[in-house]
Amino acid sequence: MNAVIDQRQRPAGHRPRLALGPVLYYWPREQLEAFYAEVSQWPVDVVYLGESVCAKRRSFGLDDWLAIAQRLEDAGIEVVLSTLTLIEAESELKTLRRICTNGRFTVEANDLGAVRLAAGSGTPFVTGPAVNIYNPRTLRVLAEQGLRRWSAPLELSGQAIAAIQARRPPGVETEVFAFGRMPLAYSARCFSARAANRPKDDCGYLCLDDPDGRLVRTQEDAPFVALNGVQTQSAPVCNLLPEIETLGEIGVDVLRISPQSRGTQAVLAAFQACLERRLAPAEAMEALRRAAPFGFCDGYWRGEPGAAASC
Amino acid sequence: MRAGANRQGIELICPAGNLPALKAAVDHGADAVYLGLQDATNARHFPGLNFDDKRLAEGIGYARTRGVRVLFAVNTYPQPAGWAQWTRAVDRAGESGADALILADIGLMDYACTRWPQMPLHLSVQASATNPEALRFYSEHFGVRRAVLPRVLSLQQIERVSADSPVEVEVFGFGSLCVMAEGRCLLSSYVAGQSPNTCGACSPAQAVAWRETPQGLESRLGRVLTDRYAAGEAAGYPTICKGRYRVGGRTYYTLEEPSSLNTLQLLPELAAAGVAAIKIEGRQRSAAYVREVTRVWRSALDRLARDEIAFRADPQWQATLDGLSEGVQTTFGPYHRPWQ
């Protein structure tokens, strides 16, 4: 890739930080508690907390999230509160308002409504990958609203990200989704409920049975996507570990690892080892396979179909 | 603001994928038509569709002399490499004398406000604004006057959004049905490299393949087998969300049946919810299709305007629309809660 590198925005020895994205699945309360009890021991700089997929999931309420947030912050981790991506109901807006006016923690806006609420209340905010920032002018408008960091939309290529990087406003950081099942679409429909012939209003919380989503295969048995409630994800895991040098070179500030029920710690450790140059990406790949039972993909980064894989 | 000063009530917005379709919509009762250029700057970027400069001038002239408004869609998301092309599209809209611009991208809205401050802006469905706070963002920053709501809201939700919205609300009434929130669906680029956001194309034609096999007729998008049809089974265009896949041991329409949206019977409810306009999907459809659909919806909206309480959909209208619909069935889609 011919990266467009703006040296002014890349301090010497620039090394991206590691972020743990929000848990996208419905895990029972005990599992979430156990997971976040461990996170403070992991090599992670930023942790996103909260429900970003379905408002019906209630393992944790906002107060539970805030308690975890405090604990992680005390452990020296930067905490960001994530918000719902598809906001439809008044009750969802109510929760959104509470998060955006929390007065304490940075907010990940996953909808322009959240941007407005956070900006309006002076709460620091970042945007998640579902907020459509495809060009520097959009980034500038949001920076004027107080945006601290943006996440590149998943379908942007490395080249497009580098071009936006070269013209990003001062003070705005860049995050890239570097590892995990990619959220590809959101719907009013719950596909987990639909898979069991149940209406969404009476879903029976079936997605609790699928801690990493429910696999969808094509009719010739190829792993294709994963159903996660109203969200559709890639079945293969997006893996940009082999691109880690380039990500640093183009001045990406944060690499997002999206949690899975197994292997997340090993993924973080592998990325950390490569960032610290203790391991080469090729040496660290083996450790990532456990978190990718249906293989890797990296097509978007290379300007190809997102499902395409070079690794 | 409404075209056709003699008409009251909900505005009818019809698709103009080419000049004959535009004329059909204008001649048969559209209050406004929407159109785009022959490139990736709009969300119906398909071969042979849309307008070059000459037809644009003719189309806009034809509509305006008949009191029909023209809405100009530049509703995809420009990336750095395409920025000049997209701003040029906005400029062409500004120069064309169109009545409003339909935009999705924030950067482009900022550009349009600076370069064409008098041009009214509509928020495209591709901007995915589903709640009043998001609508306020676009209203406060860019003076957006109207927003097209994504097809994810129920009637009750539309009612609430509309009541609390700082801008007019437009909803889809008829045509193909996106099961995913528009502007937030990458399924097409995941498989075929191009998406509505980046290129204005969902399931681009060049990535579609059909093959007869011993197991039946197979449809593919890119490398993905989207469906396999038994002999005599009607085959649909292979959009990812309308394919049959396997979950556990079961093969079924995992995301959506190949059905299309028809809200004719919900018109009184949509009117009561305060929607300002109904949009008919289908810039990729023929002029004959546009003519028939426009005619039916014009009759329905006229009847509604005469008497909202006693409104009943004419069985003949329904039959006409059913005959034009994609797939085997029509649905109220998200507007009807059980569908969700």
Side-chain angles (χ1 to χ4, degrees):
Chain A
M1 200 190 83
N2 294 318
V4 181
I5 300 166
D6 184 341
Q7 295 294 344
R8 287 165 305 174
Q9 297 195 4
R10 189 167 70 86
H14 179 88
R15 193 171 91 191
R17 308 187 322 273
L18 285 180
L20 188 63
V23 170
L24 300 175
Y25 309 103
Y26 193 12
W27 292 352
R29 185 181 173 87
E30 307 71 47
Q31 188 178 352
L32 279 177
E33 280 172 347
F35 182 78
Y36 285 111
E38 287 182 34
V39 164
S40 57
Q41 311 303 315
W42 294 353
V44 63
D45 306 290
V46 184
V47 174
Y48 290 85
L49 297 173
E51 180 56 52
S52 62
V53 176
C54 177
K56 292 176 76 176
R57 297 170 174 177
R58 296 269 168 81
S59 289
F60 274 4
L62 180 56
D63 291 337
D64 300 305
W65 287 117
L66 288 171
I68 304 258
Q70 189 59 59
R71 230 166 53 213
L72 292 176
E73 194 183 63
D74 291 344
I77 290 170
E78 177 192 330
V79 173
V80 182
L81 299 180
S82 292
T83 56
L84 201 63
T85 304
L86 185 57
I87 294 163
E88 300 161 291
E90 186 55 34
S91 56
E92 294 162 0
L93 268 177
K94 219 169 128 186
T95 307
L96 182 69
R97 285 193 190 97
R98 276 188 70 199
I99 298 172
C100 290
T101 56
N102 79 85
R104 180 85 184 73
F105 297 100
T106 300
V107 167
E108 181 194 46
N110 288 314
D111 171 273
L112 267 298
V115 168
R116 182 181 181 276
L117 288 168
S121 65
T123 304
F125 70 96
V126 303
T127 49
V131 171
N132 288 338
I133 299 175
Y134 281 82
N135 53 68
R137 188 137 179 179
T138 297
L139 194 55
R140 192 177 85 199
V141 170
L142 295 177
E144 285 162 4
Q145 294 305 299
L147 176 73
R148 303 284 181 94
R149 181 165 67 234
W150 70 294
S151 260
L154 288 154
E155 62 180 351
L156 277 185
S157 68
Q159 209 156 5
I161 293 169
I164 296 173
Q165 277 297 86
R167 294 176 51 205
R168 70 174 154 165
V172 176
E173 291 190 324
T174 299
E175 179 166 330
V176 168
F177 190 97
F179 192 92
R181 288 225 170 112
M182 298 185 290
L184 296 173
Y186 296 83
S187 176
R189 254 185 185 181
C190 174
F191 302 113
S192 299
R194 181 177 167 80
N197 280 321
R198 293 185 76 130
K200 186 179 171 192
D201 283 345
D202 180 27
C203 67
Y205 303 105
L206 290 163
C207 55
L208 272 171
D209 298 336
D210 303 317
D212 296 297
R214 179 161 293 205
L215 181 69
V216 175
R217 291 178 184 272
T218 68
Q219 290 187 48
E220 51 195 1
D221 243 16
F224 178 37
V225 292
L227 307 177
N228 175 35
V230 301
Q231 184 187 65
T232 305
Q233 303 181 328
S234 63
V237 161
C238 167
N239 176 16
L240 299 186
L241 185 69
E243 305 296 335
I244 201 160
E245 282 294 319
T246 311
L247 286 158
E249 280 166 19
I250 65 171
V252 169
D253 301 280
V254 174
L255 304 180
R256 177 177 298 210
I257 311 298
S258 190
Q260 302 279 300
S261 67
R262 290 148 50 107
T264 302
Q265 180 182 8
V267 173
L268 283 164
F271 270 80
Q272 182 72 2
C274 292
L275 286 171
E276 290 172 355
R277 305 221 158 114
R278 286 184 281 113
L279 281 180
E283 298 168 311
M285 288 291 273
E286 209 42 52
L288 305 185
R289 297 199 192 279
R290 185 159 167 248
F294 307 107
F296 299 131
C297 61
D298 59 358
Y300 281 137
W301 174 261
R302 294 180 288 113
E304 293 175 12
S310 70
C311 53
Chain B
M1 251 175 91
R2 288 197 202 300
N6 56 333
R7 287 180 186 143
Q8 296 293 313
I10 297 178
E11 221 185 358
L12 178 61
I13 318 287
C14 295
N18 55 32
L19 193 55
L22 180 145
K23 289 180 176 174
V26 168
D27 292 347
H28 292 90
D31 293 308
V33 293
Y34 62 105
L35 51 73
L37 298 173
Q38 290 176 321
D39 61 18
T41 61
N42 76 91
R44 286 289 181 279
H45 177 212
F46 290 108
L49 275 193
N50 298 320
F51 287 78
D52 60 18
D53 283 330
K54 180 169 167 281
R55 289 191 177 80
L56 186 63
E58 189 183 341
I60 290 177
Y62 191 89
R64 297 205 90 173
T65 54
R66 289 158 181 81
V68 173
R69 299 199 306 144
V70 175
L71 314 179
F72 198 119
V74 185
N75 57 345
T76 48
Y77 290 88
Q79 297 180 39
W83 181 254
Q85 185 189 350
W86 265 256
T87 53
R88 180 70 199 120
V90 168
D91 292 343
R92 283 169 78 182
E95 291 154 5
S96 73
D99 295 274
L101 255 171
I102 307 174
L103 300 178
D105 180 66
I106 288 171
L108 223 46
M109 281 179 226
D110 194 49
Y111 174 82
C113 284
T114 311
R115 183 68 185 79
W116 300 95
Q118 304 305 316
M119 182 73 143
L121 298 186
H122 290 193
L123 189 67
S124 169
V125 69
Q126 298 299 127
S128 256
T130 54
N131 60 80
E133 291 299 340
L135 295 174
R136 271 183 211 113
F137 175 88
Y138 293 104
S139 160
E140 289 165 0
H141 289 282
F142 309 112
V144 160
R145 301 197 187 171
R146 178 183 289 178
V148 187
L149 298 183
R151 282 161 279 189
V152 293
L153 300 174
S154 68
L155 260 173
Q156 287 83 350
Q157 287 166 343
I158 289 173
E159 204 170 328
R160 293 210 64 145
V161 169
S162 171
D164 204 13
S165 169
V167 302
E168 290 182 343
V169 158
E170 179 175 318
V171 298
F172 277 92
F174 185 80
S176 288
L177 178 60
C178 281
V179 68
M180 303 303 181
E182 294 91 335
R184 287 177 157 179
C185 178
L186 313 182
L187 289 173
S188 176
S189 63
Y190 175 60
V191 169
Q194 297 185 340
S195 75
N197 281 2
T198 56
C199 300
C202 175
S203 307
Q206 68 271 22
V208 170
W210 297 93
R211 196 166 62 119
E212 284 290 357
T213 72
Q215 291 86 33
L217 176 65
E218 290 184 350
S219 61
R220 268 172 214 275
L221 187 67
R223 286 157 58 180
V224 170
L225 178 66
T226 57
D227 212 340
R228 200 174 258 165
Y229 299 92
E233 210 178 6
Y237 191 80
T239 45
I240 293 296
C241 62
K242 289 164 188 164
R244 276 180 290 200
Y245 310 103
R246 285 184 190 154
V247 179
R250 194 159 72 97
T251 301
Y252 66 107
Y253 290 109
T254 310
L255 303 170
E256 187 198 354
E257 284 85 11
S259 56
S260 69
L261 178 72
N262 182 7
T263 63
L264 200 63
Q265 292 177 49
L266 299 179
L267 266 182
E269 285 91 337
L270 290 168
V275 309
I278 298 271
K279 176 163 253 163
I280 307 298
E281 188 276 344
R283 281 194 282 149
Q284 71 283 18
R285 307 295 295 264
S286 69
Y289 172 93
V290 173
R291 182 185 65 227
E292 290 308 308
V293 176
T294 304
R295 195 186 300 183
V296 166
W297 279 83
R298 181 75 270 152
S299 305
L301 287 171
D302 286 348
R303 184 182 288 184
L304 184 78
R306 283 197 300 276
D307 190 346
E308 212 167 285
I309 309 295
F311 176 86
R312 292 283 179 281
D314 192 317
Q316 189 51 50
W317 299 342
Q318 204 68 39
T320 303
L321 294 181
D322 284 347
L324 294 165
S325 293
E326 265 177 52
V328 289
Q329 51 176 326
T330 65
T331 155
F332 292 154
Y335 303 145
H336 191 216
R337 193 72 196 171
W339 182 88
Q340 301 193 358

